[in-house]
Amino acid sequence: MGMRISTLLCLFLSLSLSGCDDGWNTRRVIEGSDELFGVGGGHDSDGDGVPDEREGSGDIDGDGLPNDQDTDSDGDGIEDGDDLDVDGDGLSNEEEGSGDDDGDGIPNDYDLDSDGDGTPDSEEGVGDDDDASDDDDASDDDDASDDDDASDDDDASGDDDDSVSDDDDASGDDDDDSVGDDDDATSGGPDIVVTANFTDFGLVPEGTLGNATITIENVGGALAFVSTSLTAPIQAGQFVYALTGGNGTFTMYSGSTETRYVQFTPPTSVAPGSWETDLEVIWGGSQSEVIGFTAETGAPGEGDCTDGLDGDGDGDVDCDDSDCGADPACSTVDFCCSQGDANTNGLCWDPTAASCACAADSWCCSGGWDATCVTAYQNCGATSCGN
C-alpha cells in the first residue's frame, strides 16, 4: 500500500518530470506527459526532454541503446535535453538544424553524416543545404550539379568544373570551346584567327605593287560563315587597296584555312602621303577582327630592291631596307605558289617559269591565277613552291 501511495504522490507532484522512484527502484516513464504540458509534441520514452521522433532509433554512441531510449545519446555525460551538440560531432544543434537533408529519417543534429555523402559532418562542416548530391562549398544554392568548387556559382545550368574563371550560368562559357565550358548554346562554336605577314607596306614606289598575305583559320569546333572586306579601297579617286585571292564571303569548316591578299597600288600623279585601310573579318553574325594597314608613297626610297645598292643612303641595302618590305623580291612567300588573281603572276619569284605558265594557259596572265596556273608554274621549273 505504501508503494502505491508513494507512486501516486510522485505522479501528482511532479508529472512533468521524466519518471519517479516507485519504491521498487524502477524508473517509470510517464507517457503522454509531453503532450499534456506542450513539450516537444511527441512521446519521450527516455524522459530526457527530447521527443522520440526527434531522437530517432539510431545509436550515436554505439552503446546498444537507441537514441530515443538513451538519455545521453552521444555518451558525453550531458543529457540530451541539455546537450548543445547532441550527436557530439563538434557542430551545434543550432548549426545543423532539425531537418533531414539526406532523407534517412534521422534529423541532421542527430545524424553524424547529415547529407549522406560518406563524409562525416565533423570533417566537412555544414554545407548550404546539405543534400546528398551537394558539395558543401561556400556557394549559395548547391544543386545536384555542384562539384566541390567554392568559386562556382553552382546553378542548375552551369558546368561546375573547378575552373575559377567559369561563371557557370546559361549565358556564357568563359572558356571558348575548352573542356571547362558550361556547354550552353555559345560553346564549341566557330573561332576565327586572322594573321597578316605584315601590316606596314612602308614606302611603295609608283608603278610597283605591295602585297600582304592574310591567313584565316577556323580553330573552333563548328562551321563558320565568314565575310571579308576592306574600308576605303578607293582613295584619291583611284583603287589603292584591293583584297584578292578568292571570294570575299566563304564557308570554313572546323580546322580549315583560307588565304587572302591585301594589295596596295600607289596612286599615280599624287603628292607624297600616307594611305590607310582596315581589313574586317566577320563570322558568326557578330564576331569580328580588324587589322589595319598603312603604306607610304612619293618620298625617295630604296628604289630597286635587288641591285645591291643603298638607294636612299640610310645604311640598309635592298631587302634589309624597310622600304622594300612589300617588294615581291623580298617576300618570304612566292605568291605564285597559291591561287590569286590576274595580278599574281607579276609577283612570281621565277619570272621565266611564270611566262612559261602563261604560255601554257593564257588565262593565267589575263583572267586569274588558279590551281591550274600554280601547277603549270611548278611544271615550268619553279622551285620556290617546295618541289
Side-chain angles (χ1 to χ4, degrees):
M1 183 68 178
M3 177 186 69
R4 292 184 179 182
I5 293 174
S6 174
T7 300
L8 289 173
L9 287 174
C10 180
L11 174 62
F12 284 105
L13 293 175
S14 55
L15 188 60
S16 63
L17 298 178
S18 61
C20 297
D21 187 347
D22 59 6
W24 292 91
N25 198 31
T26 301
R27 186 177 183 83
R28 186 182 302 278
V29 176
I30 306 176
E31 297 293 350
S33 61
D34 43 7
E35 286 94 347
L36 290 174
F37 288 91
V39 179
H43 294 294
D44 181 11
S45 298
D46 56 4
D48 60 1
V50 183
D52 295 350
E53 64 185 33
R54 286 280 290 109
E55 295 187 289
S57 59
D59 183 11
I60 294 174
D61 57 6
D63 61 357
L65 289 176
N67 297 338
D68 56 4
Q69 301 291 325
D70 191 343
T71 59
D72 181 11
S73 297
D74 59 358
D76 63 355
I78 303 174
E79 283 202 1
D80 293 352
D82 299 320
D83 198 338
L84 298 180
D85 177 15
V86 74
D87 60 359
D89 62 359
L91 300 170
S92 71
N93 303 336
E94 183 178 358
E95 287 181 273
E96 296 190 285
S98 60
D100 182 12
D101 287 340
D102 56 6
D104 62 357
I106 304 174
N108 293 343
D109 53 0
Y110 274 84
D111 195 339
L112 296 176
D113 180 13
S114 59
D115 59 3
D117 63 357
T119 303
D121 294 349
S122 59
E123 294 183 16
E124 66 181 354
V126 180
D128 297 320
D129 61 1
D130 297 322
D131 61 64
S133 59
D134 288 335
D135 59 356
D136 301 321
D137 62 27
S139 58
D140 295 329
D141 60 0
D142 294 326
D143 60 38
S145 64
D146 292 342
D147 66 344
D148 304 313
D149 178 9
S151 63
D152 291 342
D153 65 2
D154 300 324
D155 61 41
S157 60
D159 63 350
D160 303 312
D161 65 356
D162 292 329
S163 173
V164 174
S165 63
D166 287 347
D167 63 359
D168 299 321
D169 58 26
S171 62
D173 56 11
D174 297 322
D175 284 337
D176 298 322
D177 58 353
S178 68
V179 176
D181 290 341
D182 62 2
D183 300 321
D184 60 49
T186 63
S187 66
D191 190 10
I192 302 300
V193 176
V194 185
T195 56
N197 63 335
F198 63 83
T199 58
D200 185 357
F201 288 87
L203 180 66
V204 183
E206 186 175 334
T208 62
L209 178 68
N211 207 81
T213 302
I214 311 301
T215 303
I216 305 171
E217 301 176 86
N218 182 359
V219 299
L223 186 72
F225 298 95
V226 182
S227 65
T228 58
S229 61
L230 289 176
T231 61
I234 300 177
Q235 300 179 35
Q238 303 177 50
F239 276 97
V240 293
Y241 281 105
L243 181 61
T244 67
N247 294 330
T249 302
F250 48 91
T251 301
M252 296 186 70
Y253 291 96
S254 175
S256 63
T257 300
E258 290 280 339
T259 301
R260 296 294 185 268
Y261 304 98
V262 173
Q263 294 181 336
F264 175 73
T265 303
T268 58
S269 304
V270 175
S274 298
W275 312 87
E276 298 180 354
T277 192
D278 288 331
L279 168 66
E280 184 175 32
V281 181
I282 301 175
W283 68 95
S286 60
Q287 296 176 280
S288 65
E289 183 165 347
V290 176
I291 299 179
F293 294 87
T294 60
E296 303 290 331
T297 60
E302 180 67 13
D304 188 342
C305 294
T306 60
D307 61 4
L309 302 176
D310 181 9
D312 55 6
D314 63 358
D316 297 321
V317 177
D318 293 344
C319 294
D320 291 334
D321 195 309
S322 60
D323 295 338
C324 294
D327 193 297
C330 299
S331 173
T332 58
V333 177
D334 186 346
F335 299 110
C336 292
C337 293
S338 57
Q339 299 181 54
D341 62 10
N343 294 319
T344 299
N345 65 83
L347 304 175
C348 296
W349 285 5
D350 190 335
T352 301
S355 298
C356 171
C358 291
D361 186 344
S362 60
W363 189 82
C364 296
C365 291
S366 58
W369 190 269
D370 59 12
T372 301
C373 302
V374 173
T375 300
Y377 180 59
Q378 295 171 338
N379 291 339
C380 285
T383 59
S384 52
C385 299
N387 294 338

